Amino acid sequence: MTDWVEGRVIEVIRWSEQLFSLRVEADLAPYEAGQFTRLALLLPSADAPSGVERVAHAYSFVNPPNAGFHEFYIVLIPGGRLTPHLHRLAVGDTLQLARQASGFLTLNELPAGRDLWMLSTGTAIGPFLSILAEGAVADRFEQMVLVHGVRWGAELSYQSLIHELMARWPGRLHYVPFVTREAWPEGLAGRIPAAILDGRLEQAVGLSLQPELSQVMLCGNPAMVKASLDALQSRGLSKHLRRAPGQVSMENYW
Ligand code: NAP
């Protein structure tokens, strides 16, 4: 059974009309960068005998585990059961969090490699920001690549953190934004899997994807995760499983 604890919102960051981050104080069990927990609210329900029901959804931590707060990057889903309520939360409001985190998209689960590619869409950049900010990734990999695919340029959130991280490891952290629905000078056009297949991603970074050197983490839109896995498999990389180590670790974000 889930052990729920109360959390208090200490900051709300509004990136766009639909994208926001909640910073929360709560007494959670220790977790690793890349893991997720569940956020919940008790909402009125005509079906529940008590008149309220707990509505919960999984969200990855964006913060490094030692941050002293917990941060979640969220997209408002109009008409959704939970996100319109999360979107209305303000500093001082309370919510519930599962005390115990879960998830295997962590550094400890990755086999060795020279280059780590972190490919995300939308709010699923969160776990990669946590892994990068935590820092141990730089002891494990020589080169790190952070790829973020969004519809519109304004959805490229967390720019100042990303630039801080790039300054921390000059020449070792490569950031590649993809913007699909408008021309965006600082980004690549089109979708991530297509750019794996036609070589544009490797060209943009200046590194090549190869089974001997590369580890790849995929997180985001399930269709992107699947199409990227297919593209990577066509390049000779295989899915990483504990019983059969490979190069591609993945998490569908919804
Ligand atoms: P998104 O549709 O995932 O778009 C993000 C990026 O992924 C876009 O650049 C998009 O390209 C690309 N993409 C979509 N399908 C792809 C595929 N098959 N292969 C490669 N790339 C692909 O959406 P979002 O802007 O992050 O979020 C919008 C909606 O997604 C939300 O309103 C919600 O409905 C859903 N969502 C749900 C959850 C959840 O937890 N339930 C979480 C996040 C998002 P195109 O512009 O070409 O489509």
Side-chain angles (χ1 to χ4, degrees):
M1 242 189 39
T2 307
D3 181 8
W4 293 99
V5 300
E6 187 175 90
R8 196 174 63 87
V9 176
I10 56 167
E11 193 176 336
V12 182
I13 306 164
R14 303 216 178 262
W15 305 101
S16 70
E17 270 181 33
Q18 300 208 329
L19 291 168
F20 62 105
S21 296
L22 295 179
R23 248 179 213 194
V24 177
E25 263 177 1
D27 188 13
L28 303 184
Y31 54 85
E32 286 178 61
Q35 288 195 301
F36 58 85
T37 188
R38 293 167 79 210
L39 303 186
L41 291 170
L42 294 176
L43 297 172
S45 161
D47 300 332
S50 63
V52 290
E53 78 175 315
R54 181 183 287 113
V55 182
H57 192 69
Y59 289 100
S60 295
F61 296 96
V62 180
N63 57 285
N66 63 356
F69 56 82
H70 316 290
E71 183 165 325
F72 307 95
Y73 180 35
I74 303 170
V75 59
L76 168 67
I77 301 173
R81 289 180 70 214
L82 181 62
T83 61
H85 300 281
L86 292 175
H87 193 248
R88 280 197 284 273
L89 292 178
V91 170
D93 287 345
T94 57
L95 70 168
Q96 295 189 334
L97 298 91
R99 206 178 79 80
Q100 191 64 51
S102 333
F104 300 101
L105 200 72
T106 60
L107 205 50
N108 280 335
E109 294 290 329
L110 289 184
R114 188 193 69 183
D115 309 330
L116 177 61
W117 299 72
M118 292 165 273
L119 276 46
S120 64
T121 52
T123 49
I125 191 175
F128 297 145
L129 294 176
S130 177
I131 288 170
L132 285 164
E134 194 270 336
V137 63
D139 302 329
R140 290 273 316 272
F141 294 92
E142 206 174 293
Q143 298 290 322
M144 299 160 281
V145 183
L146 175 64
V147 176
H148 190 201
V150 296
R151 297 175 177 186
W152 310 100
E155 296 169 349
L156 293 169
S157 309
Y158 284 104
Q159 287 298 303
S160 60
L161 172 60
I162 292 166
H163 286 100
E164 264 171 47
L165 293 166
M166 288 167 74
R168 184 159 154 194
W169 301 299
R172 293 180 59 202
L173 174 59
H174 310 263
Y175 169 57
V176 187
F178 278 77
V179 180
T180 44
R181 301 196 184 185
E182 66 180 329
W184 195 256
E186 295 89 39
L188 295 188
R191 289 176 162 188
I192 295 167
I196 296 172
L197 288 172
D198 67 14
R200 279 187 309 130
L201 175 57
E202 289 158 291
Q203 206 180 4
V205 178
L207 292 171
S208 67
L209 282 159
Q210 30 184 316
E212 308 74 45
L213 300 177
S214 316
Q215 281 293 318
V216 185
M217 296 169 111
L218 301 174
C219 190
N221 182 318
M224 177 285 282
V225 169
K226 167 138 195 359
S228 297
L229 175 64
D230 291 346
L232 292 164
Q233 283 173 331
S234 77
R235 297 291 311 276
L237 281 74
S238 60
K239 193 166 164 176
H240 172 61
L241 302 168
R242 276 181 171 173
R243 60 183 156 76
Q247 297 80 25
V248 187
S249 305
M250 45 206 259
E251 187 172 283
N252 287 334
Y253 214 59
W254 70 89

